[in-house]
Amino acid sequence: MRIITGKYKGRHFDIPRSFKARPTTDFAKENIFNVLTQYVDLDGAEALDLFSGTGSITLELISRGCSRVVSVELDRDHHRFILDCLNKLGETSVTPLRGDVFRFIKSCKQQYDFIFADPPYALKELPTIPSLIFEKGLLKEDGIFVFEHGKDNDFSDDPHFVEHRSYGSVNFSIFRTTGKASE
């Protein structure tokens, strides 16, 4: 796993082979972050990484200047790996939480400039996640939510949907609190 750009650009972390979760590919990660530059300035932003897995997105967000990142991951080993990566970087601006994402969403009172979610593609609740984010008001005004999902999901009818991007087998839907973007 590699950090693409920012203050930790080029740093590598070896993911244990026993992990079920795999990080978003470098190709997909680099491309989606390039697209995001037209939507959000991550420098100083507060971000939330749901279903953090290996922590690839959390580390990228911190490297790109987010002032604070909350990382939520249920799996004990994955959570420990994220903690180890943060310790190796000496990074203290991340709050790595081990817990259920749905419980976190229900109890969260904080709002964020940027939210990223990469649930397991086979998760039965996957289609409900965008509406939960908006129902709970987790995004600040003009906040951006990026949702990684499989090719069989289509969120284009959601009132907050902005655009869809596909990079190989990786699909991203981008949402904004202000609704559809004017072209």
Side-chain angles (χ1 to χ4, degrees), residues 81-129:
F81 179 77
I82 294 168
L83 288 171
D84 290 345
C85 292
L86 293 170
N87 287 335
K88 286 177 184 171
L89 295 174
E91 192 57 63
T92 59
S93 54
V94 176
T95 304
L97 302 176
R98 182 172 170 251
D100 179 78
V101 165
F102 295 99
R103 285 187 183 149
F104 175 84
I105 290 171
K106 287 178 184 172
S107 65
C108 183
K109 304 294 184 224
Q110 172 81 32
Q111 286 190 316
Y112 300 90
D113 300 295
F114 180 78
I115 299 174
F116 188 95
D118 179 11
Y121 292 179
L123 185 72
K124 67 178 171 117
E125 300 93 347
L126 183 144
T128 67
I129 294 170

Side-chain angles (χ1 to χ4, degrees), residues 55-76:
S56 173
I57 298 299
T58 293
L59 297 175
E60 194 70 39
L61 290 168
I62 284 299
S63 185
R64 290 172 183 258
C66 285
S67 63
R68 182 171 167 264
V69 177
V70 175
S71 170
V72 184
E73 173 55 43
L74 181 60
D75 185 276
R76 180 191 68 221

Side-chain angles (χ1 to χ4, degrees), residues 1-3 8-14 26 81 85 88:
M1 176 176 79
R2 176 175 68 98
I3 298 175
Y8 300 122
K9 178 181 180 178
R11 292 290 300 264
H12 286 265
F13 298 92
D14 293 324
D26 285 354
F81 179 77
C85 292
K88 286 177 184 171

Side-chain angles (χ1 to χ4, degrees), residues 139-183:
L139 277 174
K140 292 180 183 176
E141 186 174 335
D142 286 329
I144 295 295
F145 169 45
V146 174
F147 192 44
E148 185 174 333
H149 56 82
K151 64 179 169 48
D152 296 330
N153 300 101
D154 178 6
F155 298 97
S156 59
D157 288 337
D158 187 288
H160 301 283
F161 178 82
V162 177
E163 74 172 287
H164 172 263
R165 294 289 177 125
S166 178
Y167 305 103
S169 62
V170 181
N171 289 267
F172 297 101
S173 288
I174 302 171
F175 302 83
R176 178 178 237 143
T177 51
T178 55
K180 290 191 184 268
S182 53
E183 297 294 319

